[in-house]
Amino acid sequence: MQFGELTIPFTRIADPDRVLDDVAAAADLREKLSGQRESDPQHLPYWAELWDSAIGIATYLAGRTNLGPHVSVLDLGCGMGLSGTVAAAKGCQVLFADMEAEALLFALLNTAEHQTRARQLNWQTDRLGETFDLILGADILYERKQWPYLESFWRTHLAPNGRVLIGEPGRPTGDDFPAWLAPQGWTFARREQVVPQAKKAIRLFSFRMKVE
C-alpha cells in the first residue's frame, strides 16, 4: 500500500464477508450440537475488514516527521494492523493489541521485517504494565458502553505527555464522545484526513490528559 512516499507490503483478507459467514455458520453448528444458544454473543470478525479509519490514521502517520525509535506505540484493537504497520515502518516501537488471535497473526505478518510485539487483550479487564507515547485506535468509539473502559485503559497506559489518536468515520457516537471525555480531565484536538475511497473525510481525534 502507498501512503505518500511510504510504501508498505500489507496482507489483508480478500473477502471479509466470507469470514463473517464462516463465523456465523460455526456458531449455528455449535447451537445445533448443544441444543443451546451461547449466552455470550460470538465475537464478530470486525478485524477482517480494513476500515477507512485505519487508512486515515495510517495516512496521517506516514506524513509525520516526529516518529522514530524514541516513540512507543500501542495499536489498540489493531485488526490486521495497518496503523501500527505504518508506525513500525517509521521506526516506532509498536505493540499490537486485539481480542482476536487471528488479527494479531496478520499484524505480525505485516510487520515481519520490523521488531514488533503482539498481545491478545480485552481492554475492559486486561492491563499491560507499561505505558506508551502514542495509543492508536481505528473506529473503536461506536459502542457507548465501551467508553468508560477505554478511558480507564488509556489513563493507565498513556505515558506523560503522550496522546491518544483515534480515527473516526463520522458516526453519531463520534460526535458525542469528546464532550463525554472532557470532564474527566482530557484535552481534545481534531483534524480531518482525506481517504480516497471514503465518502467523506475521516475525523482524527487527539486526546491528552490535562497537566495539573
Side-chain angles (χ1 to χ4, degrees), residues 57 73-79 83-84 94-99 119 121-124 126 128 132 134-140 149-151 153-154 157 164-166:
I57 294 175
V73 176
L74 173 63
D75 190 352
L76 183 63
C78 64
S83 302
V94 177
L95 173 63
F96 295 105
D98 201 284
M99 286 189 68
R119 168 77 181 270
L121 177 141
N122 181 341
W123 64 52
Q124 292 188 10
D126 297 332
L128 295 167
F132 301 87
L134 180 61
I135 298 177
L136 307 174
D139 204 354
I140 61 175
Y149 296 109
L150 283 169
E151 194 278 335
F153 187 92
W154 295 343
H157 293 90
V164 178
L165 181 65
I166 300 297

PDB file of all heavy atoms in Angstrom, residues 57 73-79 83-84 94-99 119 121-124 126 128 132 134-140 149-151 153-154 157 164-166:
ATOM      1  N   ILE A  57      -5.718   7.013   9.748  1.00  0.00           N
ATOM      2  CA  ILE A  57      -4.612   7.109  10.709  1.00  0.00           C
ATOM      3  C   ILE A  57      -3.285   6.823  10.018  1.00  0.00           C
ATOM      4  O   ILE A  57      -2.288   7.535  10.219  1.00  0.00           O
ATOM      5  CB  ILE A  57      -4.827   6.141  11.880  1.00  0.00           C
ATOM      6  CG1 ILE A  57      -6.039   6.556  12.711  1.00  0.00           C
ATOM      7  CG2 ILE A  57      -3.582   6.084  12.769  1.00  0.00           C
ATOM      8  CD1 ILE A  57      -6.381   5.572  13.818  1.00  0.00           C
ATOM      9  N   VAL A  73       4.467   2.891  20.668  1.00  0.00           N
ATOM     10  CA  VAL A  73       3.124   2.955  20.098  1.00  0.00           C
ATOM     11  C   VAL A  73       2.344   1.698  20.463  1.00  0.00           C
ATOM     12  O   VAL A  73       2.856   0.580  20.336  1.00  0.00           O
ATOM     13  CB  VAL A  73       3.187   3.092  18.563  1.00  0.00           C
ATOM     14  CG1 VAL A  73       1.787   3.053  17.948  1.00  0.00           C
ATOM     15  CG2 VAL A  73       3.903   4.382  18.165  1.00  0.00           C
ATOM     16  N   LEU A  74       1.104   1.898  20.887  1.00  0.00           N
ATOM     17  CA  LEU A  74       0.162   0.798  21.087  1.00  0.00           C
ATOM     18  C   LEU A  74      -0.937   0.931  20.055  1.00  0.00           C
ATOM     19  O   LEU A  74      -1.652   1.938  20.020  1.00  0.00           O
ATOM     20  CB  LEU A  74      -0.432   0.851  22.498  1.00  0.00           C
ATOM     21  CG  LEU A  74      -1.569  -0.143  22.791  1.00  0.00           C
ATOM     22  CD1 LEU A  74      -1.069  -1.582  22.692  1.00  0.00           C
ATOM     23  CD2 LEU A  74      -2.193   0.118  24.150  1.00  0.00           C
ATOM     24  N   ASP A  75      -1.087  -0.079  19.201  1.00  0.00           N
ATOM     25  CA  ASP A  75      -2.186  -0.120  18.233  1.00  0.00           C
ATOM     26  C   ASP A  75      -3.299  -0.945  18.871  1.00  0.00           C
ATOM     27  O   ASP A  75      -3.270  -2.172  18.860  1.00  0.00           O
ATOM     28  CB  ASP A  75      -1.708  -0.731  16.916  1.00  0.00           C
ATOM     29  CG  ASP A  75      -2.716  -0.584  15.784  1.00  0.00           C
ATOM     30  OD1 ASP A  75      -3.852  -0.143  16.060  1.00  0.00           O
ATOM     31  OD2 ASP A  75      -2.382  -0.906  14.627  1.00  0.00           O
ATOM     32  N   LEU A  76      -4.286  -0.250  19.448  1.00  0.00           N
ATOM     33  CA  LEU A  76      -5.317  -0.880  20.277  1.00  0.00           C
ATOM     34  C   LEU A  76      -6.521  -1.260  19.422  1.00  0.00           C
ATOM     35  O   LEU A  76      -7.090  -0.428  18.733  1.00  0.00           O
ATOM     36  CB  LEU A  76      -5.731   0.096  21.382  1.00  0.00           C
ATOM     37  CG  LEU A  76      -6.745  -0.403  22.409  1.00  0.00           C
ATOM     38  CD1 LEU A  76      -6.186  -1.583  23.202  1.00  0.00           C
ATOM     39  CD2 LEU A  76      -7.135   0.730  23.346  1.00  0.00           C
ATOM     40  N   GLY A  77      -6.933  -2.540  19.522  1.00  0.00           N
ATOM     41  CA  GLY A  77      -7.967  -3.027  18.624  1.00  0.00           C
ATOM     42  C   GLY A  77      -7.451  -2.993  17.201  1.00  0.00           C
ATOM     43  O   GLY A  77      -8.094  -2.502  16.284  1.00  0.00           O
ATOM     44  N   CYS A  78      -6.275  -3.567  17.011  1.00  0.00           N
ATOM     45  CA  CYS A  78      -5.452  -3.319  15.822  1.00  0.00           C
ATOM     46  C   CYS A  78      -6.010  -3.914  14.548  1.00  0.00           C
ATOM     47  O   CYS A  78      -5.639  -3.480  13.455  1.00  0.00           O
ATOM     48  CB  CYS A  78      -4.032  -3.827  16.049  1.00  0.00           C
ATOM     49  SG  CYS A  78      -3.900  -5.617  16.271  1.00  0.00           S
ATOM     50  N   GLY A  79      -6.887  -4.925  14.635  1.00  0.00           N
ATOM     51  CA  GLY A  79      -7.292  -5.601  13.415  1.00  0.00           C
ATOM     52  C   GLY A  79      -6.084  -6.187  12.716  1.00  0.00           C
ATOM     53  O   GLY A  79      -5.208  -6.779  13.356  1.00  0.00           O
ATOM     54  N   SER A  83      -2.475   0.605  10.932  1.00  0.00           N
ATOM     55  CA  SER A  83      -1.944   1.808  11.594  1.00  0.00           C
ATOM     56  C   SER A  83      -0.594   1.518  12.238  1.00  0.00           C
ATOM     57  O   SER A  83       0.366   2.278  12.087  1.00  0.00           O
ATOM     58  CB  SER A  83      -2.932   2.304  12.654  1.00  0.00           C
ATOM     59  OG  SER A  83      -4.189   2.587  12.095  1.00  0.00           O
ATOM     60  N   GLY A  84      -0.522   0.407  12.977  1.00  0.00           N
ATOM     61  CA  GLY A  84       0.731   0.047  13.626  1.00  0.00           C
ATOM     62  C   GLY A  84       1.824  -0.326  12.643  1.00  0.00           C
ATOM     63  O   GLY A  84       3.016  -0.108  12.906  1.00  0.00           O
ATOM     64  N   VAL A  94       6.434  -0.756  18.360  1.00  0.00           N
ATOM     65  CA  VAL A  94       4.995  -0.988  18.243  1.00  0.00           C
ATOM     66  C   VAL A  94       4.576  -2.266  18.954  1.00  0.00           C
ATOM     67  O   VAL A  94       5.202  -3.321  18.804  1.00  0.00           O
ATOM     68  CB  VAL A  94       4.579  -1.065  16.759  1.00  0.00           C
ATOM     69  CG1 VAL A  94       3.086  -1.381  16.626  1.00  0.00           C
ATOM     70  CG2 VAL A  94       4.894   0.256  16.047  1.00  0.00           C
ATOM     71  N   LEU A  95       3.487  -2.138  19.714  1.00  0.00           N
ATOM     72  CA  LEU A  95       2.798  -3.294  20.295  1.00  0.00           C
ATOM     73  C   LEU A  95       1.392  -3.335  19.720  1.00  0.00           C
ATOM     74  O   LEU A  95       0.639  -2.359  19.811  1.00  0.00           O
ATOM     75  CB  LEU A  95       2.736  -3.191  21.822  1.00  0.00           C
ATOM     76  CG  LEU A  95       1.890  -4.253  22.545  1.00  0.00           C
ATOM     77  CD1 LEU A  95       2.457  -5.655  22.323  1.00  0.00           C
ATOM     78  CD2 LEU A  95       1.801  -3.958  24.036  1.00  0.00           C
ATOM     79  N   PHE A  96       1.027  -4.462  19.110  1.00  0.00           N
ATOM     80  CA  PHE A  96      -0.328  -4.673  18.614  1.00  0.00           C
ATOM     81  C   PHE A  96      -1.169  -5.338  19.707  1.00  0.00           C
ATOM     82  O   PHE A  96      -0.695  -6.268  20.372  1.00  0.00           O
ATOM     83  CB  PHE A  96      -0.325  -5.578  17.379  1.00  0.00           C
ATOM     84  CG  PHE A  96       0.352  -4.990  16.182  1.00  0.00           C
ATOM     85  CD1 PHE A  96       1.618  -5.420  15.799  1.00  0.00           C
ATOM     86  CD2 PHE A  96      -0.272  -4.016  15.426  1.00  0.00           C
ATOM     87  CE1 PHE A  96       2.243  -4.889  14.675  1.00  0.00           C
ATOM     88  CE2 PHE A  96       0.347  -3.465  14.308  1.00  0.00           C
ATOM     89  CZ  PHE A  96       1.603  -3.910  13.928  1.00  0.00           C
ATOM     90  N   ALA A  97      -2.418  -4.889  19.856  1.00  0.00           N
ATOM     91  CA  ALA A  97      -3.317  -5.489  20.847  1.00  0.00           C
ATOM     92  C   ALA A  97      -4.697  -5.665  20.231  1.00  0.00           C
ATOM     93  O   ALA A  97      -5.244  -4.736  19.632  1.00  0.00           O
ATOM     94  CB  ALA A  97      -3.401  -4.620  22.100  1.00  0.00           C
ATOM     95  N   ASP A  98      -5.260  -6.855  20.389  1.00  0.00           N
ATOM     96  CA  ASP A  98      -6.597  -7.146  19.872  1.00  0.00           C
ATOM     97  C   ASP A  98      -7.140  -8.353  20.635  1.00  0.00           C
ATOM     98  O   ASP A  98      -6.364  -9.161  21.164  1.00  0.00           O
ATOM     99  CB  ASP A  98      -6.544  -7.448  18.368  1.00  0.00           C
ATOM    100  CG  ASP A  98      -7.879  -7.251  17.678  1.00  0.00           C
ATOM    101  OD1 ASP A  98      -8.759  -8.121  17.833  1.00  0.00           O
ATOM    102  OD2 ASP A  98      -8.058  -6.219  16.999  1.00  0.00           O
ATOM    103  N   MET A  99      -8.466  -8.460  20.676  1.00  0.00           N
ATOM    104  CA  MET A  99      -9.075  -9.619  21.330  1.00  0.00           C
ATOM    105  C   MET A  99      -8.888 -10.890  20.519  1.00  0.00           C
ATOM    106  O   MET A  99      -8.907 -11.990  21.066  1.00  0.00           O
ATOM    107  CB  MET A  99     -10.575  -9.376  21.556  1.00  0.00           C
ATOM    108  CG  MET A  99     -10.909  -8.409  22.676  1.00  0.00           C
ATOM    109  SD  MET A  99     -12.678  -8.365  23.049  1.00  0.00           S
ATOM    110  CE  MET A  99     -12.906 -10.017  23.744  1.00  0.00           C
ATOM    111  N   ARG A 119      -0.147  -8.715  21.601  1.00  0.00           N
ATOM    112  CA  ARG A 119      -0.749  -9.181  22.850  1.00  0.00           C
ATOM    113  C   ARG A 119      -2.262  -9.323  22.659  1.00  0.00           C
ATOM    114  O   ARG A 119      -2.916  -8.388  22.231  1.00  0.00           O
ATOM    115  CB  ARG A 119      -0.454  -8.178  23.974  1.00  0.00           C
ATOM    116  CG  ARG A 119      -1.236  -8.372  25.262  1.00  0.00           C
ATOM    117  CD  ARG A 119      -0.702  -9.510  26.102  1.00  0.00           C
ATOM    118  NE  ARG A 119      -1.503  -9.659  27.311  1.00  0.00           N
ATOM    119  CZ  ARG A 119      -1.243  -9.038  28.464  1.00  0.00           C
ATOM    120  NH1 ARG A 119      -0.187  -8.228  28.564  1.00  0.00           N
ATOM    121  NH2 ARG A 119      -2.019  -9.222  29.520  1.00  0.00           N
ATOM    122  N   LEU A 121      -5.764  -9.176  24.014  1.00  0.00           N
ATOM    123  CA  LEU A 121      -6.125  -8.288  25.117  1.00  0.00           C
ATOM    124  C   LEU A 121      -7.590  -7.883  25.038  1.00  0.00           C
ATOM    125  O   LEU A 121      -8.136  -7.631  23.964  1.00  0.00           O
ATOM    126  CB  LEU A 121      -5.234  -7.035  25.053  1.00  0.00           C
ATOM    127  CG  LEU A 121      -5.469  -5.919  26.063  1.00  0.00           C
ATOM    128  CD1 LEU A 121      -4.148  -5.330  26.518  1.00  0.00           C
ATOM    129  CD2 LEU A 121      -6.327  -4.808  25.431  1.00  0.00           C
ATOM    130  N   ASN A 122      -8.209  -7.820  26.218  1.00  0.00           N
ATOM    131  CA  ASN A 122      -9.540  -7.252  26.401  1.00  0.00           C
ATOM    132  C   ASN A 122      -9.366  -5.963  27.195  1.00  0.00           C
ATOM    133  O   ASN A 122      -8.985  -5.996  28.361  1.00  0.00           O
ATOM    134  CB  ASN A 122     -10.429  -8.244  27.161  1.00  0.00           C
ATOM    135  CG  ASN A 122     -11.839  -7.730  27.365  1.00  0.00           C
ATOM    136  OD1 ASN A 122     -12.122  -6.534  27.274  1.00  0.00           O
ATOM    137  ND2 ASN A 122     -12.757  -8.641  27.664  1.00  0.00           N
ATOM    138  N   TRP A 123      -9.654  -4.818  26.568  1.00  0.00           N
ATOM    139  CA  TRP A 123      -9.385  -3.552  27.256  1.00  0.00           C
ATOM    140  C   TRP A 123     -10.305  -3.323  28.449  1.00  0.00           C
ATOM    141  O   TRP A 123     -10.048  -2.467  29.272  1.00  0.00           O
ATOM    142  CB  TRP A 123      -9.418  -2.379  26.289  1.00  0.00           C
ATOM    143  CG  TRP A 123     -10.745  -2.085  25.613  1.00  0.00           C
ATOM    144  CD1 TRP A 123     -11.961  -1.909  26.204  1.00  0.00           C
ATOM    145  CD2 TRP A 123     -10.964  -1.909  24.210  1.00  0.00           C
ATOM    146  NE1 TRP A 123     -12.928  -1.643  25.266  1.00  0.00           N
ATOM    147  CE2 TRP A 123     -12.347  -1.620  24.033  1.00  0.00           C
ATOM    148  CE3 TRP A 123     -10.129  -1.929  23.102  1.00  0.00           C
ATOM    149  CZ2 TRP A 123     -12.911  -1.390  22.777  1.00  0.00           C
ATOM    150  CZ3 TRP A 123     -10.704  -1.695  21.856  1.00  0.00           C
ATOM    151  CH2 TRP A 123     -12.067  -1.434  21.699  1.00  0.00           C
ATOM    152  N   GLN A 124     -11.356  -4.121  28.578  1.00  0.00           N
ATOM    153  CA  GLN A 124     -12.221  -3.989  29.743  1.00  0.00           C
ATOM    154  C   GLN A 124     -11.558  -4.514  31.011  1.00  0.00           C
ATOM    155  O   GLN A 124     -11.783  -3.985  32.100  1.00  0.00           O
ATOM    156  CB  GLN A 124     -13.538  -4.741  29.519  1.00  0.00           C
ATOM    157  CG  GLN A 124     -14.435  -4.145  28.462  1.00  0.00           C
ATOM    158  CD  GLN A 124     -15.797  -4.821  28.426  1.00  0.00           C
ATOM    159  OE1 GLN A 124     -16.143  -5.612  29.296  1.00  0.00           O
ATOM    160  NE2 GLN A 124     -16.581  -4.511  27.412  1.00  0.00           N
ATOM    161  N   ASP A 126      -8.025  -6.311  30.985  1.00  0.00           N
ATOM    162  CA  ASP A 126      -6.590  -6.575  30.965  1.00  0.00           C
ATOM    163  C   ASP A 126      -5.778  -5.288  31.077  1.00  0.00           C
ATOM    164  O   ASP A 126      -6.201  -4.226  30.630  1.00  0.00           O
ATOM    165  CB  ASP A 126      -6.192  -7.301  29.677  1.00  0.00           C
ATOM    166  CG  ASP A 126      -6.833  -8.665  29.559  1.00  0.00           C
ATOM    167  OD1 ASP A 126      -7.119  -9.266  30.605  1.00  0.00           O
ATOM    168  OD2 ASP A 126      -7.059  -9.121  28.418  1.00  0.00           O
ATOM    169  N   LEU A 128      -1.462  -3.933  30.765  1.00  0.00           N
ATOM    170  CA  LEU A 128      -0.200  -4.344  30.157  1.00  0.00           C
ATOM    171  C   LEU A 128       1.020  -4.110  31.037  1.00  0.00           C
ATOM    172  O   LEU A 128       2.089  -4.647  30.763  1.00  0.00           O
ATOM    173  CB  LEU A 128      -0.006  -3.587  28.827  1.00  0.00           C
ATOM    174  CG  LEU A 128      -1.027  -3.924  27.736  1.00  0.00           C
ATOM    175  CD1 LEU A 128      -0.931  -2.906  26.601  1.00  0.00           C
ATOM    176  CD2 LEU A 128      -0.798  -5.326  27.217  1.00  0.00           C
ATOM    177  N   PHE A 132       2.740   4.098  26.976  1.00  0.00           N
ATOM    178  CA  PHE A 132       3.065   4.352  25.577  1.00  0.00           C
ATOM    179  C   PHE A 132       2.968   5.845  25.285  1.00  0.00           C
ATOM    180  O   PHE A 132       2.122   6.548  25.826  1.00  0.00           O
ATOM    181  CB  PHE A 132       2.113   3.578  24.666  1.00  0.00           C
ATOM    182  CG  PHE A 132       2.142   2.093  24.878  1.00  0.00           C
ATOM    183  CD1 PHE A 132       1.338   1.503  25.850  1.00  0.00           C
ATOM    184  CD2 PHE A 132       2.995   1.292  24.143  1.00  0.00           C
ATOM    185  CE1 PHE A 132       1.374   0.132  26.076  1.00  0.00           C
ATOM    186  CE2 PHE A 132       3.040  -0.078  24.355  1.00  0.00           C
ATOM    187  CZ  PHE A 132       2.230  -0.662  25.332  1.00  0.00           C
ATOM    188  N   LEU A 134       2.155   6.944  22.313  1.00  0.00           N
ATOM    189  CA  LEU A 134       1.060   7.118  21.364  1.00  0.00           C
ATOM    190  C   LEU A 134       0.199   5.859  21.371  1.00  0.00           C
ATOM    191  O   LEU A 134       0.696   4.756  21.164  1.00  0.00           O
ATOM    192  CB  LEU A 134       1.630   7.361  19.955  1.00  0.00           C
ATOM    193  CG  LEU A 134       0.646   7.569  18.816  1.00  0.00           C
ATOM    194  CD1 LEU A 134      -0.228   8.798  19.057  1.00  0.00           C
ATOM    195  CD2 LEU A 134       1.387   7.690  17.481  1.00  0.00           C
ATOM    196  N   ILE A 135      -1.093   6.046  21.620  1.00  0.00           N
ATOM    197  CA  ILE A 135      -2.062   4.959  21.553  1.00  0.00           C
ATOM    198  C   ILE A 135      -2.974   5.218  20.368  1.00  0.00           C
ATOM    199  O   ILE A 135      -3.597   6.282  20.272  1.00  0.00           O
ATOM    200  CB  ILE A 135      -2.887   4.849  22.848  1.00  0.00           C
ATOM    201  CG1 ILE A 135      -1.972   4.546  24.042  1.00  0.00           C
ATOM    202  CG2 ILE A 135      -3.953   3.755  22.709  1.00  0.00           C
ATOM    203  CD1 ILE A 135      -2.696   4.498  25.376  1.00  0.00           C
ATOM    204  N   LEU A 136      -3.046   4.261  19.458  1.00  0.00           N
ATOM    205  CA  LEU A 136      -3.856   4.378  18.255  1.00  0.00           C
ATOM    206  C   LEU A 136      -5.135   3.564  18.393  1.00  0.00           C
ATOM    207  O   LEU A 136      -5.137   2.500  19.011  1.00  0.00           O
ATOM    208  CB  LEU A 136      -3.082   3.875  17.031  1.00  0.00           C
ATOM    209  CG  LEU A 136      -1.696   4.473  16.785  1.00  0.00           C
ATOM    210  CD1 LEU A 136      -1.028   3.752  15.613  1.00  0.00           C
ATOM    211  CD2 LEU A 136      -1.788   5.961  16.522  1.00  0.00           C
ATOM    212  N   GLY A 137      -6.208   4.045  17.773  1.00  0.00           N
ATOM    213  CA  GLY A 137      -7.460   3.298  17.748  1.00  0.00           C
ATOM    214  C   GLY A 137      -8.271   3.678  16.528  1.00  0.00           C
ATOM    215  O   GLY A 137      -8.610   4.848  16.346  1.00  0.00           O
ATOM    216  N   ALA A 138      -8.593   2.719  15.663  1.00  0.00           N
ATOM    217  CA  ALA A 138      -9.351   2.983  14.443  1.00  0.00           C
ATOM    218  C   ALA A 138     -10.788   2.518  14.626  1.00  0.00           C
ATOM    219  O   ALA A 138     -11.053   1.320  14.769  1.00  0.00           O
ATOM    220  CB  ALA A 138      -8.711   2.274  13.248  1.00  0.00           C
ATOM    221  N   ASP A 139     -11.714   3.480  14.651  1.00  0.00           N
ATOM    222  CA  ASP A 139     -13.149   3.191  14.721  1.00  0.00           C
ATOM    223  C   ASP A 139     -13.494   2.303  15.923  1.00  0.00           C
ATOM    224  O   ASP A 139     -14.124   1.254  15.789  1.00  0.00           O
ATOM    225  CB  ASP A 139     -13.615   2.526  13.415  1.00  0.00           C
ATOM    226  CG  ASP A 139     -15.105   2.734  13.165  1.00  0.00           C
ATOM    227  OD1 ASP A 139     -15.791   3.289  14.047  1.00  0.00           O
ATOM    228  OD2 ASP A 139     -15.580   2.330  12.097  1.00  0.00           O
ATOM    229  N   ILE A 140     -13.099   2.753  17.119  1.00  0.00           N
ATOM    230  CA  ILE A 140     -13.369   1.971  18.330  1.00  0.00           C
ATOM    231  C   ILE A 140     -14.335   2.682  19.285  1.00  0.00           C
ATOM    232  O   ILE A 140     -14.530   2.215  20.406  1.00  0.00           O
ATOM    233  CB  ILE A 140     -12.064   1.628  19.081  1.00  0.00           C
ATOM    234  CG1 ILE A 140     -11.326   2.896  19.528  1.00  0.00           C
ATOM    235  CG2 ILE A 140     -11.168   0.747  18.221  1.00  0.00           C
ATOM    236  CD1 ILE A 140     -10.098   2.602  20.378  1.00  0.00           C
ATOM    237  N   TYR A 149     -14.552   2.015  29.796  1.00  0.00           N
ATOM    238  CA  TYR A 149     -13.436   1.066  29.782  1.00  0.00           C
ATOM    239  C   TYR A 149     -12.254   1.639  28.992  1.00  0.00           C
ATOM    240  O   TYR A 149     -11.094   1.498  29.401  1.00  0.00           O
ATOM    241  CB  TYR A 149     -13.876  -0.258  29.153  1.00  0.00           C
ATOM    242  CG  TYR A 149     -14.951  -0.981  29.917  1.00  0.00           C
ATOM    243  CD1 TYR A 149     -16.250  -1.066  29.403  1.00  0.00           C
ATOM    244  CD2 TYR A 149     -14.685  -1.567  31.145  1.00  0.00           C
ATOM    245  CE1 TYR A 149     -17.237  -1.739  30.091  1.00  0.00           C
ATOM    246  CE2 TYR A 149     -15.670  -2.239  31.848  1.00  0.00           C
ATOM    247  CZ  TYR A 149     -16.950  -2.319  31.315  1.00  0.00           C
ATOM    248  OH  TYR A 149     -17.938  -2.977  32.009  1.00  0.00           O
ATOM    249  N   LEU A 150     -12.540   2.271  27.856  1.00  0.00           N
ATOM    250  CA  LEU A 150     -11.470   2.869  27.067  1.00  0.00           C
ATOM    251  C   LEU A 150     -10.770   3.987  27.838  1.00  0.00           C
ATOM    252  O   LEU A 150      -9.539   4.056  27.865  1.00  0.00           O
ATOM    253  CB  LEU A 150     -12.028   3.416  25.749  1.00  0.00           C
ATOM    254  CG  LEU A 150     -12.334   2.382  24.662  1.00  0.00           C
ATOM    255  CD1 LEU A 150     -13.130   3.019  23.538  1.00  0.00           C
ATOM    256  CD2 LEU A 150     -11.046   1.769  24.125  1.00  0.00           C
ATOM    257  N   GLU A 151     -11.565   4.858  28.469  1.00  0.00           N
ATOM    258  CA  GLU A 151     -10.967   5.961  29.215  1.00  0.00           C
ATOM    259  C   GLU A 151     -10.058   5.453  30.318  1.00  0.00           C
ATOM    260  O   GLU A 151      -8.941   5.962  30.510  1.00  0.00           O
ATOM    261  CB  GLU A 151     -12.071   6.848  29.792  1.00  0.00           C
ATOM    262  CG  GLU A 151     -11.607   8.192  30.301  1.00  0.00           C
ATOM    263  CD  GLU A 151     -11.023   8.159  31.719  1.00  0.00           C
ATOM    264  OE1 GLU A 151     -11.394   7.227  32.473  1.00  0.00           O
ATOM    265  OE2 GLU A 151     -10.220   9.033  32.065  1.00  0.00           O
ATOM    266  N   PHE A 153      -8.558   2.521  30.447  1.00  0.00           N
ATOM    267  CA  PHE A 153      -7.398   1.864  29.839  1.00  0.00           C
ATOM    268  C   PHE A 153      -6.387   2.906  29.370  1.00  0.00           C
ATOM    269  O   PHE A 153      -5.187   2.773  29.610  1.00  0.00           O
ATOM    270  CB  PHE A 153      -7.847   0.985  28.675  1.00  0.00           C
ATOM    271  CG  PHE A 153      -6.751   0.147  28.097  1.00  0.00           C
ATOM    272  CD1 PHE A 153      -6.522  -1.142  28.556  1.00  0.00           C
ATOM    273  CD2 PHE A 153      -5.921   0.640  27.097  1.00  0.00           C
ATOM    274  CE1 PHE A 153      -5.492  -1.916  28.033  1.00  0.00           C
ATOM    275  CE2 PHE A 153      -4.892  -0.117  26.575  1.00  0.00           C
ATOM    276  CZ  PHE A 153      -4.682  -1.404  27.046  1.00  0.00           C
ATOM    277  N   TRP A 154      -6.855   3.942  28.690  1.00  0.00           N
ATOM    278  CA  TRP A 154      -5.936   4.990  28.223  1.00  0.00           C
ATOM    279  C   TRP A 154      -5.225   5.656  29.383  1.00  0.00           C
ATOM    280  O   TRP A 154      -4.016   5.884  29.328  1.00  0.00           O
ATOM    281  CB  TRP A 154      -6.713   6.045  27.436  1.00  0.00           C
ATOM    282  CG  TRP A 154      -7.335   5.569  26.164  1.00  0.00           C
ATOM    283  CD1 TRP A 154      -7.028   4.423  25.479  1.00  0.00           C
ATOM    284  CD2 TRP A 154      -8.366   6.207  25.424  1.00  0.00           C
ATOM    285  NE1 TRP A 154      -7.818   4.308  24.361  1.00  0.00           N
ATOM    286  CE2 TRP A 154      -8.642   5.393  24.300  1.00  0.00           C
ATOM    287  CE3 TRP A 154      -9.088   7.392  25.598  1.00  0.00           C
ATOM    288  CZ2 TRP A 154      -9.623   5.743  23.354  1.00  0.00           C
ATOM    289  CZ3 TRP A 154     -10.058   7.742  24.662  1.00  0.00           C
ATOM    290  CH2 TRP A 154     -10.308   6.917  23.555  1.00  0.00           C
ATOM    291  N   HIS A 157      -2.406   3.566  30.606  1.00  0.00           N
ATOM    292  CA  HIS A 157      -1.331   3.180  29.687  1.00  0.00           C
ATOM    293  C   HIS A 157      -0.698   4.329  28.920  1.00  0.00           C
ATOM    294  O   HIS A 157       0.226   4.090  28.123  1.00  0.00           O
ATOM    295  CB  HIS A 157      -1.864   2.147  28.682  1.00  0.00           C
ATOM    296  CG  HIS A 157      -2.219   0.837  29.312  1.00  0.00           C
ATOM    297  ND1 HIS A 157      -3.469   0.571  29.815  1.00  0.00           N
ATOM    298  CD2 HIS A 157      -1.474  -0.268  29.551  1.00  0.00           C
ATOM    299  CE1 HIS A 157      -3.485  -0.655  30.314  1.00  0.00           C
ATOM    300  NE2 HIS A 157      -2.286  -1.179  30.170  1.00  0.00           N
ATOM    301  N   VAL A 164      -3.529  10.033  22.721  1.00  0.00           N
ATOM    302  CA  VAL A 164      -4.355   9.009  22.088  1.00  0.00           C
ATOM    303  C   VAL A 164      -4.821   9.563  20.752  1.00  0.00           C
ATOM    304  O   VAL A 164      -5.337  10.686  20.684  1.00  0.00           O
ATOM    305  CB  VAL A 164      -5.572   8.662  22.965  1.00  0.00           C
ATOM    306  CG1 VAL A 164      -6.450   7.617  22.274  1.00  0.00           C
ATOM    307  CG2 VAL A 164      -5.127   8.156  24.341  1.00  0.00           C
ATOM    308  N   LEU A 165      -4.641   8.795  19.681  1.00  0.00           N
ATOM    309  CA  LEU A 165      -5.053   9.217  18.347  1.00  0.00           C
ATOM    310  C   LEU A 165      -6.106   8.244  17.831  1.00  0.00           C
ATOM    311  O   LEU A 165      -5.835   7.061  17.644  1.00  0.00           O
ATOM    312  CB  LEU A 165      -3.858   9.256  17.399  1.00  0.00           C
ATOM    313  CG  LEU A 165      -4.151   9.703  15.960  1.00  0.00           C
ATOM    314  CD1 LEU A 165      -4.616  11.163  15.933  1.00  0.00           C
ATOM    315  CD2 LEU A 165      -2.915   9.532  15.079  1.00  0.00           C
ATOM    316  N   ILE A 166      -7.316   8.762  17.613  1.00  0.00           N
ATOM    317  CA  ILE A 166      -8.450   7.938  17.213  1.00  0.00           C
ATOM    318  C   ILE A 166      -8.904   8.327  15.814  1.00  0.00           C
ATOM    319  O   ILE A 166      -9.099   9.513  15.516  1.00  0.00           O
ATOM    320  CB  ILE A 166      -9.631   8.119  18.201  1.00  0.00           C
ATOM    321  CG1 ILE A 166      -9.218   7.712  19.614  1.00  0.00           C
ATOM    322  CG2 ILE A 166     -10.846   7.323  17.730  1.00  0.00           C
ATOM    323  CD1 ILE A 166      -8.831   6.259  19.757  1.00  0.00           C
TER     324      ILE A 166
END
